[in-house]
Amino acid sequence: MTRFWLLLSSLALSIFIAGNALAQQPAKAELKVGFVPGPYIDEFKAGVEPELKKKGYTVRYFEFSTGLEANNAVFKGDIDANVMQHTVFLNSYNERQKTDLVGIVHVPTPPMGLYSKKHALDTPIKAGSTVAVPNDPVNLQRALWVLRDLGLVEIRDSKPVDVTELDVIKNPGGIKIVPLESAQAPRALDDVDFAAIQGNFAIYSGLKLTNAFALEKMTTPYVNVVAVKRDNADSPWAQDIVLAYKSPTFKNAILSDRFYDGFTLPDYLQ
């Protein structure tokens, strides 16, 4: 009888240990996360991946040249999530592509800025200056807002997905607007007087926020997000990504590094 109870106890212990080990397994063994050039992959590696590893995940990184490629990869299931876009761009993508991606958490984001290699800071922007701007409607609108806030142009109110250069209704100084693919803007600084450059591309190319002639007044819809398919938004692995961003580990990684000075921070870091 004693031997029977010993065997029974041993079996119960084995089941408990096995069940406990199973409970500690991550909801998804490998997370595939995509990025475009910019600071977001470094943020993730510094403060998010360590938290995910504690829960047993491994992270596989994918880098894309454009946001469209990164979004297509999420939608097709080639990757689980991406970190590279704001909600307005995401909604525009969904509207045009008939997709269902959603943001699950905001991330620290550098604002768009107006930069120049040809003109010193604090010098006036002269009439007839050439200004490179993003050629996609959503980010073109942001660039035009920067020029508007500097008193250089007036623009009509339009839906972000419909904005074009024709929405400039007053341009008293004859500013020449040059639309370019966003990633090309830093290189255009050799050829134009100024360029309105998205924060991620500015950072990636070595530009500093403190050297911008002007920075956009960034509001919440333009703070970048982690994007996933809608059906995955409440999944355990997606919520573990959210918790990792909101962890003390991530907060310390961002707030202790002067590199992130000038970034717009989500509410959970303020």
Side-chain angles (χ1 to χ4, degrees):
M1 181 66 71
T2 301
R3 186 177 178 183
F4 171 78
W5 286 113
L6 285 173
L7 286 172
L8 188 62
S9 298
S10 178
L11 178 62
L13 181 61
S14 297
I15 293 172
F16 173 78
I17 292 173
N20 190 50
L22 185 62
Q24 292 177 10
Q25 292 298 309
K28 188 178 180 70
E30 180 182 70
L31 294 176
K32 300 176 181 179
V33 188
F35 302 85
V36 299
Y40 307 111
I41 190 169
D42 292 331
E43 293 179 5
F44 199 97
K45 287 180 177 179
V48 177
E49 184 178 9
E51 289 295 303
L52 294 174
K53 282 186 172 180
K54 291 177 185 177
K55 296 183 178 180
Y57 294 97
T58 59
V59 180
R60 188 174 172 191
Y61 295 93
F62 294 78
E63 298 189 54
F64 300 90
S65 298
T66 69
L68 291 178
E69 293 172 333
N71 275 341
N72 288 341
V74 173
F75 180 67
K76 291 188 298 182
D78 294 335
I79 61 176
D80 301 305
N82 65 43
V83 191
M84 56 87 201
Q85 67 196 314
H86 49 69
T87 302
V88 182
F89 183 90
L90 179 59
N91 290 343
S92 173
Y93 171 84
N94 282 332
E95 183 176 331
R96 291 178 181 273
Q97 303 297 324
K98 309 304 179 185
T99 51
D100 63 346
L101 308 189
V102 295
I104 56 174
V105 64
H106 286 100
V107 306
T109 306
M112 178 182 285
L114 191 67
Y115 296 88
S116 178
K117 283 187 177 180
K118 297 183 177 180
H119 305 280
L121 284 176
D122 300 324
T123 58
I125 298 175
K126 297 179 181 179
S129 293
T130 54
V131 181
V133 297
N135 63 1
D136 67 277
V138 172
N139 290 309
L140 170 60
Q141 185 179 60
R142 297 168 67 194
L144 294 179
W145 283 342
V146 173
L147 298 180
R148 177 201 63 191
D149 292 344
L150 289 171
L152 298 174
V153 301
E154 290 185 24
I155 58 175
R156 67 169 58 93
D157 290 331
S158 300
K159 287 180 61 179
V161 295
D162 296 327
V163 173
T164 72
E165 304 94 282
L166 298 178
D167 286 298
V168 177
I169 54 178
K170 288 186 180 180
N171 185 357
I175 299 296
K176 298 172 184 175
I177 296 173
V178 182
L180 293 173
E181 202 279 318
S182 294
Q184 303 301 318
R187 285 178 238 168
L189 287 172
D190 292 327
D191 303 312
V192 298
D193 292 297
F194 300 91
I197 305 176
Q198 289 172 242
N200 57 314
F201 293 118
I203 295 291
Y204 184 75
S205 65
L207 296 170
K208 296 181 179 179
L209 300 179
T210 52
N211 289 337
F213 270 68
L215 294 172
E216 70 175 316
K217 299 178 177 69
M218 181 176 278
T219 56
T220 300
Y222 295 94
V223 177
N224 281 12
V225 297
V226 176
V228 301
K229 292 191 71 171
R230 184 177 298 278
D231 287 347
N232 290 330
D234 294 322
S235 66
W237 61 263
Q239 289 306 304
D240 281 341
I241 291 176
V242 174
L243 290 173
Y245 269 100
K246 295 184 177 182
S247 69
T249 300
F250 184 74
K251 183 174 184 178
N252 181 65
I254 299 303
L255 299 186
S256 65
D257 191 339
R258 297 300 300 272
F259 173 80
Y260 297 104
D261 288 356
F263 279 49
T264 299
L265 302 179
D267 290 344
Y268 61 82
L269 290 182
Q270 298 179 15

